[in-house]
Amino acid sequence: LTITKKPENIGGAQVTLPVKRVLIFDVDSADVDKWSATIADGSIAEFVAGSDSAQPMIRPLAEGETTVELTAPDGATTTFSLIVTPGIR
C-alpha cells in the first residue's frame, strides 16, 4: 500500500503517512537513484533510495512526527513535516 507524492508539491507541507504504508516520491525515472533524504528522527521513518526497479521512498518505522529534508539530484532541497499515524488509513 503506497502513497505517491511529487516532491515539488510537498515543500513546507505536513504529510500524513499511516505506519502500514510507504511514501513514494514520483520523480524522473532517469534520476531515481540520485535522490537522498535526511530524516530528523530516524526512529520514526527511514529513507529508501531509488533503484532501477523502484522510486525513492520513505518507510515509516513508528508513530510520531519528524522533519524530512529531501534532496534532488541538482542539490535543491524540499523540507516537509512527516506525521506517521497508526494503521493503514
Side-chain angles (χ1 to χ4, degrees):
L1 293 164
T2 65
I3 295 172
T4 303
K5 300 275 186 190
K6 289 187 175 292
E8 60 268 24
N9 294 342
I10 58 174
Q14 276 193 338
V15 177
T16 301
L17 180 63
V19 76
K20 296 193 185 289
R21 294 189 176 208
V22 294
L23 174 60
I24 306 241
F25 296 107
D26 182 9
V27 299
D28 187 323
S29 59
D31 294 331
V32 291
D33 59 344
K34 296 178 180 79
W35 287 79
S36 63
T38 303
I39 298 174
D41 185 342
S43 70
I44 293 174
E46 67 181 352
F47 177 75
V48 179
S51 65
D52 289 343
S53 59
Q55 297 274 48
M57 70 180 81
I58 290 183
R59 180 181 298 131
L61 301 172
E63 293 171 33
E65 186 171 345
T66 189
T67 300
V68 177
E69 185 175 88
L70 186 65
T71 305
D74 66 2
T77 59
T78 300
T79 303
F80 64 95
S81 175
L82 179 70
I83 302 168
V84 177
T85 59
I88 209 161
R89 294 181 176 264

Coordinates of all heavy atoms in Angstrom, one line a residue:
L1 N 0.8 -1.2 0.0 CA 0.0 0.0 0.0 C 0.9 1.2 0.0 O 1.7 1.4 0.9 CB -0.9 0.0 1.2 CG -1.9 -1.1 1.3 CD1 -2.5 -1.3 2.7 CD2 -3.1 -0.8 0.3
T2 N 0.7 2.1 -1.0 CA 1.5 3.2 -1.1 C 0.8 4.5 -1.2 O -0.4 4.6 -1.5 CB 2.4 3.1 -2.4 OG1 1.5 3.1 -3.5 CG2 3.2 1.8 -2.4
I3 N 1.5 5.6 -0.9 CA 1.0 7.0 -1.1 C 2.1 7.6 -2.0 O 3.3 7.5 -1.7 CB 0.9 7.7 0.2 CG1 -0.2 7.1 1.1 CG2 0.6 9.2 0.0 CD1 -0.3 7.6 2.5
T4 N 1.7 8.2 -3.1 CA 2.7 8.8 -4.0 C 2.6 10.3 -4.0 O 1.4 10.8 -4.1 CB 2.5 8.2 -5.4 OG1 2.6 6.8 -5.4 CG2 3.5 8.7 -6.4
K5 N 3.7 11.0 -3.9 CA 3.7 12.5 -4.0 C 4.8 12.9 -4.9 O 5.9 12.3 -4.9 CB 4.0 13.0 -2.5 CG 2.9 12.6 -1.5 CD 1.8 13.6 -1.5 CE 0.8 13.3 -0.4 NZ -0.4 14.0 -0.5
K6 N 4.6 14.1 -5.5 CA 5.7 14.7 -6.3 C 6.4 15.6 -5.3 O 5.8 16.4 -4.6 CB 5.1 15.5 -7.4 CG 4.5 14.7 -8.6 CD 4.1 15.6 -9.7 CE 3.7 14.8 -10.9 NZ 4.7 14.0 -11.5
P7 N 7.7 15.6 -5.3 CA 8.5 16.4 -4.3 C 8.1 17.9 -4.4 O 8.0 18.6 -3.4 CB 9.9 16.2 -4.7 CG 9.9 14.8 -5.3 CD 8.6 14.7 -6.0
E8 N 7.9 18.4 -5.6 CA 7.6 19.8 -5.8 C 6.3 20.2 -5.1 O 6.0 21.4 -5.0 CB 7.7 20.3 -7.2 CG 6.7 19.6 -8.1 CD 7.2 18.3 -8.8 OE1 8.2 17.7 -8.3 OE2 6.7 17.9 -9.9
N9 N 5.4 19.3 -4.8 CA 4.1 19.6 -4.2 C 4.1 19.5 -2.7 O 3.0 19.8 -2.1 CB 3.0 18.6 -4.8 CG 2.8 18.8 -6.3 OD1 3.2 19.8 -6.8 ND2 2.3 17.8 -6.9
I10 N 5.2 19.1 -2.1 CA 5.1 18.9 -0.6 C 6.0 19.8 0.2 O 6.0 19.7 1.4 CB 5.4 17.4 -0.2 CG1 6.7 17.0 -0.7 CG2 4.2 16.5 -0.8 CD1 7.1 15.6 -0.3
G11 N 6.7 20.7 -0.4 CA 7.6 21.6 0.3 C 6.8 22.5 1.3 O 5.8 23.1 1.0
G12 N 7.2 22.4 2.6 CA 6.6 23.2 3.7 C 5.3 22.6 4.1 O 4.6 23.1 5.0
A13 N 4.9 21.4 3.6 CA 3.6 20.8 3.9 C 3.7 19.8 5.1 O 4.8 19.5 5.5 CB 3.0 20.1 2.7
Q14 N 2.6 19.4 5.6 CA 2.5 18.3 6.5 C 2.0 17.1 5.7 O 1.0 17.2 5.1 CB 1.5 18.6 7.6 CG 2.0 19.4 8.8 CD 1.1 19.4 10.0 OE1 -0.1 19.1 9.9 NE2 1.7 19.7 11.1
V15 N 2.8 16.1 5.7 CA 2.4 14.8 5.0 C 2.1 13.8 6.1 O 2.9 13.5 7.0 CB 3.6 14.4 4.1 CG1 3.2 13.0 3.5 CG2 3.9 15.4 3.1
T16 N 0.9 13.3 6.0 CA 0.5 12.2 7.0 C 0.7 10.9 6.3 O 0.2 10.6 5.2 CB -1.0 12.4 7.4 OG1 -1.1 13.7 8.0 CG2 -1.4 11.4 8.4
L17 N 1.3 10.0 7.0 CA 1.7 8.6 6.5 C 1.3 7.6 7.5 O 1.9 7.5 8.5 CB 3.2 8.6 6.2 CG 3.7 7.3 5.6 CD1 3.1 7.0 4.2 CD2 5.2 7.3 5.5
P18 N 0.3 6.8 7.2 CA 0.0 5.6 8.1 C 1.2 4.7 8.2 O 1.8 4.4 7.2 CB -1.2 5.0 7.4 CG -1.8 6.0 6.5 CD -0.6 6.8 6.1
V19 N 1.4 4.1 9.4 CA 2.5 3.3 9.6 C 2.6 2.1 8.8 O 3.7 1.5 8.5 CB 2.6 3.0 11.2 CG1 1.6 1.9 11.5 CG2 4.0 2.6 11.6
K20 N 1.5 1.6 8.2 CA 1.4 0.4 7.4 C 1.5 0.7 5.9 O 1.2 -0.1 5.1 CB 0.2 -0.4 7.7 CG 0.2 -0.9 9.1 CD -0.9 -2.0 9.3 CE -1.0 -2.4 10.7 NZ 0.0 -3.2 11.2
R21 N 1.9 1.9 5.5 CA 2.1 2.3 4.1 C 3.5 2.8 3.9 O 4.3 3.0 4.8 CB 1.1 3.4 3.7 CG -0.3 2.9 3.8 CD -1.2 3.9 3.1 NE -2.6 3.4 3.1 CZ -3.5 3.8 2.2 NH1 -3.1 4.7 1.2 NH2 -4.7 3.3 2.1
V22 N 3.8 3.1 2.6 CA 5.1 3.8 2.3 C 4.8 5.0 1.5 O 3.8 5.1 0.8 CB 6.1 2.9 1.6 CG1 6.6 1.8 2.5 CG2 5.5 2.4 0.3
L23 N 5.7 6.0 1.6 CA 5.5 7.3 0.8 C 6.5 7.2 -0.3 O 7.7 7.2 -0.1 CB 5.8 8.5 1.7 CG 5.9 9.8 1.0 CD1 4.5 10.2 0.4 CD2 6.3 10.9 2.0
I24 N 6.0 7.1 -1.6 CA 6.8 7.0 -2.8 C 6.9 8.4 -3.4 O 5.9 9.1 -3.5 CB 6.1 6.1 -3.8 CG1 5.8 4.8 -3.1 CG2 6.9 6.0 -5.1 CD1 6.5 3.6 -3.7
F25 N 8.1 8.8 -3.8 CA 8.3 10.1 -4.5 C 8.3 9.8 -6.0 O 9.0 9.0 -6.5 CB 9.7 10.7 -4.0 CG 9.7 11.0 -2.6 CD1 10.5 10.3 -1.7 CD2 8.9 12.1 -2.1 CE1 10.5 10.6 -0.3 CE2 8.9 12.4 -0.7 CZ 9.7 11.6 0.1
D26 N 7.4 10.6 -6.6 CA 7.2 10.5 -8.1 C 8.2 11.4 -8.7 O 8.0 12.6 -8.8 CB 5.8 10.9 -8.4 CG 5.5 10.8 -9.9 OD1 6.3 10.2 -10.6 OD2 4.4 11.2 -10.3
V27 N 9.4 10.8 -9.1 CA 10.5 11.5 -9.7 C 10.8 10.9 -11.1 O 10.4 9.8 -11.4 CB 11.7 11.6 -8.8 CG1 11.4 12.2 -7.5 CG2 12.3 10.2 -8.6
D28 N 11.6 11.7 -11.9 CA 12.0 11.3 -13.2 C 12.8 9.9 -13.1 O 13.7 9.8 -12.3 CB 12.9 12.3 -13.8 CG 13.3 12.1 -15.2 OD1 13.5 10.9 -15.6 OD2 13.4 13.0 -16.0
S29 N 12.4 9.0 -13.9 CA 13.0 7.6 -13.8 C 14.5 7.6 -14.1 O 15.2 6.7 -13.6 CB 12.2 6.6 -14.7 OG 12.3 7.1 -16.0
A30 N 15.0 8.6 -14.8 CA 16.4 8.6 -15.1 C 17.2 9.0 -13.8 O 18.4 8.8 -13.8 CB 16.7 9.7 -16.2
D31 N 16.6 9.6 -12.9 CA 17.3 10.1 -11.7 C 16.9 9.5 -10.4 O 17.2 9.9 -9.3 CB 17.0 11.6 -11.5 CG 17.5 12.5 -12.6 OD1 18.6 12.1 -13.2 OD2 17.0 13.5 -12.9
V32 N 16.2 8.3 -10.4 CA 15.6 7.7 -9.2 C 16.7 7.4 -8.1 O 16.5 7.6 -7.0 CB 14.8 6.4 -9.4 CG1 13.5 6.7 -10.1 CG2 15.6 5.4 -10.2
D33 N 17.9 7.1 -8.6 CA 19.0 6.7 -7.6 C 19.8 7.9 -7.2 O 20.7 7.7 -6.4 CB 19.9 5.6 -8.3 CG 20.5 6.1 -9.5 OD1 20.1 7.1 -10.1 OD2 21.5 5.5 -10.0
K34 N 19.4 9.1 -7.6 CA 20.2 10.3 -7.3 C 19.6 11.1 -6.2 O 20.1 12.2 -5.8 CB 20.5 11.1 -8.5 CG 21.3 10.4 -9.6 CD 21.5 11.2 -10.8 CE 22.4 10.5 -11.8 NZ 21.6 9.5 -12.6
W35 N 18.4 10.7 -5.7 CA 17.7 11.5 -4.6 C 18.2 10.9 -3.3 O 18.6 9.8 -3.1 CB 16.2 11.2 -4.7 CG 15.6 12.0 -5.9 CD1 15.6 11.6 -7.2 CD2 14.9 13.2 -5.8 NE1 14.9 12.6 -7.9 CE2 14.5 13.5 -7.1 CE3 14.5 14.1 -4.8 CZ2 13.8 14.7 -7.4 CZ3 13.8 15.2 -5.0 CH2 13.4 15.5 -6.4
S36 N 18.2 11.8 -2.3 CA 18.6 11.4 -0.9 C 17.7 12.2 0.0 O 17.0 13.1 -0.4 CB 20.0 11.7 -0.6 OG 20.3 13.1 -0.7
A37 N 17.7 11.8 1.3 CA 16.9 12.5 2.3 C 17.5 12.4 3.7 O 18.2 11.4 4.0 CB 15.5 11.9 2.4
T38 N 17.3 13.4 4.5 CA 17.7 13.4 5.9 C 16.5 13.5 6.7 O 15.6 14.3 6.5 CB 18.6 14.6 6.2 OG1 19.7 14.6 5.3 CG2 19.1 14.6 7.6
I39 N 16.3 12.5 7.6 CA 15.2 12.5 8.5 C 15.6 12.8 9.9 O 16.5 12.2 10.4 CB 14.5 11.1 8.4 CG1 14.0 10.8 7.0 CG2 13.3 11.0 9.4 CD1 13.5 9.4 6.7
A40 N 15.0 13.9 10.5 CA 15.4 14.4 11.8 C 15.4 13.3 12.8 O 16.3 13.2 13.6 CB 14.6 15.6 12.2
D41 N 14.4 12.5 12.9 CA 14.2 11.4 13.9 C 14.2 10.1 13.2 O 13.1 9.7 12.7 CB 13.0 11.6 14.7 CG 12.9 10.6 15.9 OD1 13.6 9.6 15.8 OD2 12.1 10.9 16.8
G42 N 15.3 9.4 13.1 CA 15.4 8.2 12.3 C 14.7 7.0 13.0 O 14.6 6.0 12.4
S43 N 14.1 7.2 14.2 CA 13.3 6.1 14.8 C 11.9 6.1 14.3 O 11.2 5.2 14.4 CB 13.3 6.3 16.3 OG 12.6 7.4 16.7
I44 N 11.5 7.2 13.6 CA 10.1 7.4 13.1 C 10.0 6.9 11.6 O 9.0 6.2 11.3 CB 9.6 8.8 13.2 CG1 9.5 9.1 14.7 CG2 8.3 9.0 12.5 CD1 9.1 10.6 15.0
A45 N 11.0 7.1 10.8 CA 11.0 6.7 9.4 C 12.4 6.6 8.9 O 13.3 7.1 9.4 CB 10.2 7.8 8.6
E46 N 12.5 5.9 7.7 CA 13.8 5.7 7.1 C 13.6 6.0 5.6 O 12.5 5.7 5.0 CB 14.4 4.4 7.3 CG 13.6 3.2 6.6 CD 14.2 1.9 6.9 OE1 15.3 1.8 7.4 OE2 13.5 0.9 6.5
F47 N 14.6 6.6 5.0 CA 14.6 6.8 3.5 C 15.2 5.6 2.8 O 16.2 5.0 3.3 CB 15.5 8.0 3.2 CG 15.6 8.3 1.7 CD1 14.6 8.9 1.0 CD2 16.8 8.0 1.0 CE1 14.6 9.1 -0.3 CE2 16.9 8.2 -0.4 CZ 15.8 8.8 -1.0
V48 N 14.5 5.2 1.7 CA 15.0 4.1 0.9 C 15.3 4.6 -0.5 O 14.4 5.2 -1.1 CB 13.9 2.9 0.8 CG1 14.4 1.8 -0.1 CG2 13.5 2.4 2.2
A49 N 16.5 4.5 -0.9 CA 17.0 5.1 -2.1 C 16.3 4.4 -3.3 O 15.9 3.2 -3.2 CB 18.5 5.0 -2.3
G50 N 16.1 5.2 -4.4 CA 15.5 4.6 -5.6 C 16.5 3.7 -6.3 O 17.7 3.7 -6.1
S51 N 16.0 2.9 -7.2 CA 16.8 1.9 -8.0 C 16.2 1.7 -9.3 O 15.2 2.3 -9.6 CB 17.0 0.6 -7.2 OG 15.7 0.0 -7.2
D52 N 16.8 0.8 -10.1 CA 16.2 0.5 -11.4 C 14.8 0.1 -11.3 O 14.0 0.3 -12.2 CB 17.0 -0.6 -12.1 CG 18.4 -0.1 -12.6 OD1 18.6 1.2 -12.7 OD2 19.3 -0.9 -12.9
S53 N 14.4 -0.6 -10.2 CA 13.1 -1.2 -10.1 C 12.1 -0.4 -9.2 O 11.0 -0.8 -9.0 CB 13.2 -2.6 -9.7 OG 13.9 -2.7 -8.4
A54 N 12.6 0.7 -8.5 CA 11.8 1.4 -7.6 C 12.1 2.8 -7.5 O 13.2 3.2 -7.6 CB 11.9 0.7 -6.2
Q55 N 11.1 3.6 -7.2 CA 11.2 5.1 -6.9 C 11.8 5.2 -5.5 O 11.6 4.3 -4.7 CB 9.9 5.8 -7.0 CG 9.2 5.7 -8.4 CD 9.8 6.8 -9.3 OE1 10.9 7.1 -9.4 NE2 8.8 7.5 -10.0
P56 N 12.4 6.4 -5.2 CA 12.8 6.6 -3.8 C 11.6 6.7 -2.9 O 10.5 7.1 -3.4 CB 13.6 7.9 -3.9 CG 13.2 8.6 -5.1 CD 12.7 7.5 -6.1
M57 N 11.7 6.3 -1.7 CA 10.6 6.3 -0.8 C 11.0 6.5 0.7 O 12.1 6.4 1.0 CB 9.8 4.9 -0.9 CG 10.5 3.7 -0.3 SD 9.6 2.2 -0.5 CE 10.0 1.8 -2.2
I58 N 9.9 6.7 1.5 CA 10.1 6.8 2.9 C 9.3 5.6 3.5 O 8.1 5.5 3.2 CB 9.7 8.1 3.5 CG1 10.7 9.2 3.1 CG2 9.5 8.1 5.0 CD1 10.5 10.5 3.6
R59 N 9.9 4.9 4.4 CA 9.2 3.7 5.0 C 9.1 4.1 6.5 O 10.0 4.4 7.2 CB 10.1 2.5 4.9 CG 9.5 1.3 5.6 CD 10.3 0.0 5.5 NE 10.5 -0.4 4.1 CZ 11.7 -0.6 3.6 NH1 12.8 -0.5 4.3 NH2 11.8 -1.0 2.3
P60 N 7.8 4.2 7.0 CA 7.6 4.5 8.4 C 8.0 3.4 9.3 O 7.9 2.2 9.0 CB 6.1 4.7 8.5 CG 5.5 4.0 7.4 CD 6.6 3.9 6.3
L61 N 8.6 3.7 10.5 CA 9.0 2.7 11.4 C 8.2 2.8 12.7 O 8.1 1.8 13.4 CB 10.5 3.0 11.8 CG 11.5 2.9 10.6 CD1 12.9 3.4 11.0 CD2 11.5 1.5 10.0
A62 N 7.7 4.0 13.1 CA 7.0 4.1 14.4 C 6.1 5.4 14.3 O 6.4 6.3 13.5 CB 7.9 4.3 15.5
E63 N 5.1 5.4 15.1 CA 4.2 6.6 15.1 C 5.0 7.8 15.6 O 5.8 7.6 16.5 CB 3.0 6.3 15.9 CG 2.0 5.3 15.3 CD 1.0 4.9 16.3 OE1 0.5 5.7 17.1 OE2 0.5 3.7 16.2
G64 N 4.7 9.0 15.1 CA 5.3 10.2 15.6 C 5.4 11.2 14.5 O 4.9 11.1 13.4
E65 N 6.1 12.3 14.8 CA 6.3 13.4 13.9 C 7.8 13.7 13.8 O 8.5 13.8 14.8 CB 5.5 14.6 14.4 CG 5.5 15.7 13.4 CD 4.5 16.8 13.8 OE1 3.6 16.6 14.7 OE2 4.6 17.9 13.3
T66 N 8.2 14.0 12.6 CA 9.6 14.4 12.3 C 9.7 15.3 11.1 O 8.7 15.5 10.4 CB 10.5 13.1 12.1 OG1 11.9 13.5 12.1 CG2 10.1 12.3 10.9
T67 N 10.8 15.8 10.8 CA 11.0 16.7 9.7 C 11.9 15.9 8.7 O 12.8 15.2 9.1 CB 11.8 18.0 10.1 OG1 10.9 18.6 11.0 CG2 12.0 18.9 8.9
V68 N 11.5 16.0 7.4 CA 12.3 15.4 6.3 C 12.8 16.4 5.4 O 12.1 17.4 5.0 CB 11.4 14.4 5.5 CG1 12.1 13.8 4.4 CG2 10.8 13.3 6.4
E69 N 14.1 16.3 5.0 CA 14.7 17.2 4.0 C 15.1 16.3 2.9 O 16.0 15.5 3.0 CB 15.9 17.9 4.6 CG 16.5 18.9 3.6 CD 17.6 19.7 4.2 OE1 18.8 19.2 4.1 OE2 17.4 20.8 4.7
L70 N 14.4 16.4 1.8 CA 14.6 15.6 0.6 C 15.5 16.4 -0.4 O 15.3 17.6 -0.6 CB 13.2 15.4 -0.1 CG 13.2 14.4 -1.3 CD1 13.6 13.0 -0.9 CD2 11.7 14.4 -1.9
T71 N 16.5 15.7 -0.9 CA 17.5 16.4 -1.8 C 17.4 15.9 -3.2 O 17.6 14.6 -3.4 CB 18.9 16.3 -1.2 OG1 18.9 16.8 0.2 CG2 19.9 17.1 -2.0
A72 N 17.2 16.8 -4.1 CA 17.1 16.4 -5.5 C 18.5 16.2 -6.1 O 19.5 16.6 -5.5 CB 16.4 17.5 -6.3
P73 N 18.6 15.6 -7.3 CA 19.9 15.4 -8.0 C 20.7 16.7 -8.2 O 21.9 16.7 -8.1 CB 19.5 14.8 -9.3 CG 18.2 14.1 -9.0 CD 17.5 14.9 -8.1
D74 N 20.0 17.8 -8.4 CA 20.6 19.1 -8.6 C 21.0 19.8 -7.3 O 21.5 20.9 -7.3 CB 19.8 20.0 -9.5 CG 18.5 20.5 -8.8 OD1 18.2 20.1 -7.6 OD2 17.7 21.2 -9.4
G75 N 20.8 19.2 -6.1 CA 21.1 19.7 -4.8 C 20.0 20.6 -4.2 O 20.1 21.0 -3.0
A76 N 18.9 20.8 -4.9 CA 17.8 21.5 -4.3 C 17.1 20.7 -3.3 O 17.0 19.5 -3.4 CB 16.8 21.9 -5.4
T77 N 16.7 21.4 -2.2 CA 16.1 20.6 -1.1 C 14.6 21.0 -0.9 O 14.2 22.1 -1.2 CB 16.8 20.8 0.3 OG1 16.8 22.2 0.6 CG2 18.2 20.3 0.2
T78 N 13.8 20.0 -0.5 CA 12.4 20.2 -0.2 C 12.3 19.7 1.3 O 12.6 18.5 1.6 CB 11.5 19.3 -1.1 OG1 11.8 19.7 -2.5 CG2 10.1 19.4 -0.8
T79 N 11.8 20.6 2.1 CA 11.6 20.2 3.5 C 10.1 20.1 3.8 O 9.3 21.0 3.4 CB 12.3 21.2 4.5 OG1 13.7 21.3 4.1 CG2 12.2 20.8 5.9
F80 N 9.7 19.0 4.5 CA 8.3 18.9 4.9 C 8.2 18.2 6.3 O 9.2 17.5 6.7 CB 7.5 18.2 3.8 CG 7.9 16.8 3.6 CD1 7.3 15.7 4.2 CD2 9.0 16.5 2.7 CE1 7.7 14.4 3.9 CE2 9.4 15.2 2.4 CZ 8.7 14.1 3.0
S81 N 7.1 18.3 6.9 CA 6.8 17.6 8.2 C 6.1 16.3 7.9 O 5.2 16.2 7.1 CB 5.9 18.5 9.0 OG 5.5 17.9 10.2
L82 N 6.7 15.2 8.5 CA 6.1 13.9 8.3 C 5.4 13.5 9.6 O 6.1 13.5 10.6 CB 7.2 12.9 7.9 CG 6.7 11.5 7.7 CD1 5.9 11.3 6.4 CD2 7.9 10.5 7.6
I83 N 4.1 13.1 9.5 CA 3.4 12.6 10.7 C 3.0 11.2 10.4 O 2.3 10.9 9.4 CB 2.2 13.5 10.9 CG1 2.6 14.9 11.1 CG2 1.4 12.9 12.1 CD1 1.4 15.9 11.1
V84 N 3.6 10.3 11.1 CA 3.3 8.9 11.0 C 2.2 8.5 12.0 O 2.3 8.8 13.2 CB 4.5 8.0 11.2 CG1 4.1 6.5 11.1 CG2 5.6 8.3 10.2
T85 N 1.1 8.0 11.4 CA -0.2 7.7 12.2 C -0.4 6.2 12.3 O 0.2 5.5 11.5 CB -1.4 8.4 11.5 OG1 -1.5 7.9 10.2 CG2 -1.2 9.9 11.5
P86 N -1.2 5.8 13.2 CA -1.5 4.3 13.3 C -2.2 3.8 12.1 O -2.9 4.5 11.4 CB -2.4 4.2 14.6 CG -2.6 5.6 15.1 CD -2.0 6.6 14.2
G87 N -2.1 2.5 11.9 CA -2.9 1.8 11.0 C -2.6 2.0 9.5 O -1.5 2.2 9.2
I88 N -3.6 1.9 8.7 CA -3.5 1.8 7.3 C -4.1 3.0 6.5 O -3.9 3.3 5.4 CB -4.1 0.5 6.8 CG1 -3.4 0.0 5.5 CG2 -5.5 0.6 6.6 CD1 -3.5 -1.4 5.3
R89 N -4.9 3.8 7.2 CA -5.6 5.0 6.6 C -5.1 6.3 7.1 O -4.9 6.6 8.2 CB -7.1 4.9 6.9 CG -7.8 3.7 6.3 CD -9.3 3.8 6.6 NE -9.9 2.7 5.9 CZ -10.5 2.7 4.8 NH1 -10.6 3.9 4.2 NH2 -11.1 1.7 4.2

